[in-house]
Amino acid sequence: MNVFLLILGGLAACHAASYNYSQVIEYSLLFYEAQRSGKLPSDQKVTWRKDSALNDKGQNGEDLTGGYYDAGDYVKFGFPMAYTATVLSWGVIDFEQGYTKANSLEDARKAIKWATDYFLKCHVSENEFYGQVGEGNLDHNWWGRPEDMTMERPAYKIDAQNPGSDLAGETAAALAAASIVFKSADSSYSDTLLTHAKQLYNFADTYRGKYSESITDAQQFYSSYGYEDDLVWGAIWLYKATNDESYLTKAKQLYEEFELGDYNGYFSWDQKITGVEVLLAQLTKEQAHIDKITDYCDGMINDQARTPKGLVFIEQWGSLRMASNAVYLCLEAAQAGINPTQYRNFATEQIGYMLGDTGRSYVVGFGTNPPSHESHRSSSCPLAPATCDWNNYNSADPNPQVLYGALVGGPGQDDDYQDVRSDYIHNEVADDYNACFQGALAALNQL
Ligand SMILES: *[C@@H]1O[C@H](CO)[C@@H](O)[C@H](O)[C@H]1NC(C)=O
């Protein structure tokens, strides 16, 4: 019996160590390249993508080209995009060596800058910010290449009369986090990011409201639960970027006022409370925050529902993304010295599930039997000028372009998964899916 267990343990360790995290990091960054909107640069590696959406404009003609398409579609949804930029920046700040080892630090910075350059354009005046380009249903009712789309792409904004403290707070967090990333690499860009971060935070805090009540087209797709967590989160990121104690004071004051200590939540594009806890644990070393993040990670490991093959199962829609988000936060907790061995083992196990431990990979282009029919418009199209339309969506053939590095939604609660384009719940890809996932890979890569 003992010998048997030893062998099993040995096999598990062996298996877990066998993934090339550097390669997955490199691929994940290619996924973000494939999601680029606007005019593509000459060093673009994903060459089946071309310039697109060059007429994206604000209501007064402002240039809103650039940024990222959200998922398998072409809407530029600002709220999840900002979250993605914040989390990618967080990973570069705390796990830079993991990126360096993957020879990907430059590309990781470029992935962040592709979002932050766009946010700077969207911030057209102090209290005015464009939070979406493209109309959800109009966009989703069309299938083809982004280079070929002709539907109207209206732009939606928040301002003092139509506020959005969550959107502005999260974008302030993204710009502040990115300013740390660029501090030594490009200090003048870093300063610009920080100036806009401060203005956006002030806007978020002064004019309170949920962005999805102002940008109502987002309601069906990325409705916000509330702005309270984003205001605390934004203040903490500004504190990290500036070392200005008034931001930490603000964060603590709002944390009390909103009674965030009474809440928990699965970390996501909408829900930052657990992210707040781990940042406060790292920055203040206060026991209350250490206890909360410890409870969260211990609960994930010991009490959270699992699939029969061991994936922590939080939510049907994007199950691997939800697991990645939990894994990343626990790696941040480990970084702060909280149960590091246990939390890193948990991360290795969960990421192992995604990369192939069950006999299949859930990352396009990587490993054994990866997805090839992911629900994603541009990669489902043959090279131009061949037609691309709903026939390509309905086709049983694999996507003609390999969308390297994209993490698909993932299995249902019984490890059930089918690699079919029509199953957008389990087989779509999205910018936010890869954000914590990529950070977790960087963290594991530097161990
Ligand atoms: C891991 O992947 C990287 C990047 O693709 C590659 O350069 C390296 O040789 C791979 N390492 C191993 C051990 O296969």
Side-chain angles (χ1 to χ4, degrees):
M1 186 65 182
N2 280 339
V3 172
F4 180 64
L5 284 176
L6 269 176
I7 291 168
L8 272 183
L11 281 176
C14 203
H15 203 168
S18 67
Y19 298 108
N20 186 338
Y21 297 134
S22 285
Q23 188 174 31
V24 192
I25 291 169
E26 207 177 287
Y27 283 1
S28 179
L29 287 162
L30 291 178
F31 165 65
Y32 284 108
E33 273 205 7
Q35 295 298 92
R36 286 174 171 178
S37 179
K39 178 151 183 50
L40 302 183
S42 56
D43 64 358
Q44 171 91 7
K45 292 173 190 154
V46 178
T47 52
W48 50 267
R49 281 295 331 286
K50 311 289 177 194
D51 299 349
S52 62
L54 298 178
N55 284 316
D56 282 1
K57 284 187 176 66
Q59 292 162 17
N60 301 301
E62 300 96 334
D63 169 22
L64 298 181
T65 58
Y68 286 109
Y69 297 127
D70 181 63
D73 63 340
Y74 303 132
V75 182
K76 298 195 290 196
F77 286 113
F79 192 42
M81 201 196 304
Y83 158 84
T84 298
T86 307
V87 170
L88 289 178
S89 298
W90 196 4
V92 171
I93 294 163
D94 283 352
F95 306 111
E96 185 180 311
Q97 286 165 36
Y99 281 104
T100 305
K101 186 172 163 192
N103 205 14
S104 291
L105 183 57
E106 256 330 286
D107 286 337
R109 289 192 186 125
K110 286 177 187 171
I112 293 162
K113 192 165 187 288
W114 198 263
T116 52
D117 281 351
Y118 170 72
F119 297 147
L120 296 180
K121 289 182 181 179
C122 291
H123 192 204
V124 291
S125 73
E126 248 182 84
N127 298 330
E128 204 180 358
F129 181 78
Y130 280 94
Q132 184 177 325
V133 180
E135 187 192 309
N137 288 323
L138 210 52
D139 183 284
H140 294 177
N141 288 337
W142 185 81
W143 195 274
R145 299 180 197 89
E147 293 82 6
D148 298 338
M149 62 185 170
T150 56
M151 81 287 275
E152 285 199 44
R153 290 174 60 79
Y156 306 88
K157 66 175 179 174
I158 51 170
D159 56 26
Q161 289 75 44
N162 308 280
S165 305
D166 30 25
L167 172 65
E170 179 63 78
T171 310
L175 296 176
S179 82
I180 303 171
V181 169
F182 286 99
K183 205 161 198 129
S184 58
D186 185 346
S187 65
S188 90
Y189 187 63
S190 171
D191 290 346
T192 303
L193 294 173
L194 198 50
T195 301
H196 285 268
K198 289 176 185 169
Q199 288 178 358
L200 275 166
Y201 189 77
N202 191 49
F203 170 36
D205 189 32
T206 309
Y207 302 98
R208 301 271 182 95
K210 279 204 261 193
Y211 95 100
S212 44
E213 285 171 8
S214 296
I215 301 180
T216 53
D217 193 70
Q219 272 173 19
Q220 259 181 283
F221 312 99
Y222 289 100
S223 196
S224 172
Y225 176 85
Y227 59 75
E228 291 82 355
D229 52 338
D230 304 283
L231 277 179
V232 178
W233 170 252
I236 298 173
W237 277 106
L238 273 156
Y239 171 65
K240 278 171 74 75
T242 59
N243 284 316
D244 177 346
E245 288 285 335
S246 69
Y247 284 115
L248 184 58
T249 306
K250 179 93 199 168
K252 289 179 171 176
Q253 175 211 323
L254 290 177
Y255 180 97
E256 292 302 323
E257 183 185 326
F258 299 142
E259 299 176 335
L260 289 198
D262 295 348
Y263 296 93
N264 277 308
Y266 299 112
F267 188 62
S268 74
W269 57 268
D270 190 24
Q271 186 57 268
K272 319 292 154 57
I273 294 174
T274 326
V276 162
E277 294 298 345
V278 75
L279 284 175
L280 288 177
Q282 290 173 344
L283 291 166
T284 70
K285 318 251 186 283
E286 285 168 13
Q287 198 60 42
H289 301 300
I290 293 173
D291 288 347
K292 271 205 77 179
I293 194 65
T294 305
D295 284 349
Y296 174 80
C297 291
D298 289 354
M300 259 318 137
I301 293 169
N302 300 318
D303 305 325
Q304 183 64 38
R306 294 204 182 212
T307 66
K309 292 180 180 168
L311 177 72
V312 290
F313 192 80
I314 296 167
E315 190 182 291
Q316 186 79 233
W317 199 308
S319 58
L320 297 177
R321 163 271 308 263
M322 296 309 289
S324 297
N325 296 356
V327 159
Y328 183 74
L329 285 197
C330 298
L331 286 166
E332 284 286 352
Q335 184 78 345
I338 304 168
N339 301 330
T341 306
Q342 195 193 358
Y343 295 171
R344 285 172 185 147
N345 287 343
F346 168 64
T348 305
E349 162 205 280
Q350 295 297 307
I351 296 293
Y353 183 105
M354 300 176 204
L355 298 183
D357 281 0
T358 69
R360 73 160 311 135
S361 161
Y362 288 96
V363 178
V364 179
F366 176 82
T368 303
N369 190 22
S372 57
H373 298 68
E374 67 280 7
S375 192
H376 183 260
R377 285 169 176 72
S378 63
S379 62
S380 80
C381 295
L383 291 178
T387 303
C388 187
D389 57 22
W390 288 105
N391 289 323
N392 301 80
Y393 169 82
N394 289 316
S395 160
D397 295 338
N399 290 7
Q401 318 306 331
V402 181
L403 187 65
Y404 284 104
L407 178 73
V408 296
Q413 60 188 343
D414 296 319
D415 299 299
D416 48 304
Y417 167 78
Q418 279 190 307
D419 183 18
V420 293
R421 217 168 277 121
S422 54
D423 188 355
Y424 50 84
I425 292 182
H426 303 104
N427 213 28
E428 197 169 346
V429 302
D431 298 341
D432 85 280
Y433 289 14
N434 268 68
C436 277
F437 175 66
Q438 188 181 296
L441 290 164
L444 293 176
N445 204 34
Q446 71 177 40
L447 292 181

